[in-house]
Amino acid sequence: MKLKPLDDLVQYHLPLGTNVEIAIYSDSFEHVSIMRNVLIRMKSWQNYLYLYH
């Protein structure tokens, strides 16, 4: 599935090949949404931590 942004993203100066992760939350599985939120935050830290220099 591909999502296309509606806003103009030129002001963010995103490099080519930029990837995002999107989560859609609902009221049905609140316990899963909390876990998913934690996983997305953990994944975002991989962009800042370089374990193999």
Side-chain angles (χ1 to χ4, degrees), residues 2-50:
K2 289 187 178 182
L3 298 174
K4 294 184 179 180
L6 298 176
D7 297 336
D8 184 21
L9 301 177
V10 175
Q11 64 182 347
Y12 296 110
H13 305 290
L14 299 173
L16 293 175
T18 300
N19 293 320
V20 298
E21 288 194 29
I22 298 172
I24 299 173
Y25 299 108
S26 68
D27 295 332
S28 301
F29 298 101
E30 188 173 343
H31 59 286
V32 176
S33 66
I34 293 170
M35 184 174 60
R36 182 64 183 151
N37 192 6
V38 170
L39 290 173
I40 287 178
R41 287 177 188 258
M42 288 172 57
K43 181 85 170 166
S44 70
W45 275 101
Q46 288 180 344
N47 296 328
Y48 299 104
L49 297 177
Y50 298 104

